[in-house]
Amino acid sequence: MTPKQQYYENAARTIMKTFEKRGFEGCYCATKEEAAQKAMSYVKPGMSVSFGGSMSINECGLTDALKARTDITLLDRSQAKTPEETAAIYHQALSCDCYFMSTNAISMDGQLVNTDGTGNRVAALIYGPENVILVVGMNKVTATLEDAQKRVKALATPPNCLRLDKKTPCAITGVCQDCFGEDCICSQTVITRRSAVRGRIKIILVGEELGY
């Protein structure tokens, strides 16, 4: 085990101590392959499943694994052919059995910070799906809640804007300028400090760098 791997494991252990009091269910996986396997263990035959736009779940192979399942109903917005179909899938996802996503940042005391453009992802996190499973690389961990909020603007949003081909100031300069343009993906910022339904939010911390 390398020093970084040991650090990730130690830090994850510290974070997970806070999950119980926050009503989260948490676990640690050393690799993205283990994380994908753990995530898939929550998916049972007959379930309806959806996911938010997430590089993390793509990079760990979870998206492909879900698409390969023939015994579930997968609500996949990438299959939509019109804006109306996309909107319908967004709404259907709010009542699915399992919703997969990541988080833009997580503080050492276990609070989640997420910034969204349309709000479909944070809406599912807050209310609706019976289970919300987050796959979170340890690169997204910050010392404090304030640092987590800063991380979103400095490290998460600019590359996401580039990925989505958004013409925002941060995509061009790499620096957030609190813009209000049509391409802005920073419409809502949600801090999740606890799960009102104990165990509904399940967080898989991964000892590798995943996503932005």
Side-chain angles (χ1 to χ4, degrees), residues 43-141:
V43 182
K44 309 302 180 185
M47 280 186 167
S48 58
V49 181
S50 193
F51 50 87
S54 168
M55 290 300 295
S56 296
I57 64 173
N58 285 336
E59 290 172 5
C60 73
L62 183 55
T63 306
D64 290 338
L66 289 171
K67 290 180 178 180
R69 289 281 294 261
T70 59
D71 59 346
I72 62 173
T73 299
L74 185 61
L75 303 169
D76 181 3
R77 65 181 178 182
S78 70
Q79 300 302 309
K81 296 179 175 59
T82 66
E84 290 76 18
E85 289 183 5
T86 299
I89 290 173
Y90 280 164
H91 285 89
Q92 292 166 12
L94 294 176
S95 59
C96 70
D97 296 306
C98 279
Y99 188 89
F100 289 93
M101 58 179 288
S102 187
T103 187
N104 294 134
I106 181 170
S107 60
M108 282 294 292
D109 66 352
Q111 298 187 74
L112 311 174
V113 178
N114 285 283
T115 294
D116 235 11
T118 60
N120 63 294
R121 183 175 62 105
V122 294
L125 173 63
I126 294 169
Y127 183 83
E130 185 174 347
N131 299 281
V132 180
I133 298 98
L134 286 78
V135 179
V136 185
M138 290 297 292
N139 55 301
K140 295 186 176 183
V141 172

Side-chain angles (χ1 to χ4, degrees), residues 5 8-9 28-32 136-138 205-209:
Q5 290 170 331
Y8 279 160
E9 185 174 320
Y28 177 76
C29 293
T31 68
K32 59 186 179 183
V136 185
M138 290 297 292
L205 298 173
V206 188
E208 295 188 25
E209 294 190 5

Side-chain angles (χ1 to χ4, degrees), residues 13 31 35 41 56 59 62 67 69 115 140 164 167 172 184 190 194 207 212:
R13 193 179 300 116
T31 68
S41 73
S56 296
E59 290 172 5
L62 183 55
K67 290 180 178 180
R69 289 281 294 261
T115 294
K140 295 186 176 183
L164 298 170
K167 309 303 180 185
I172 297 169
C184 177
V190 171
R194 64 182 291 268
Y212 304 137

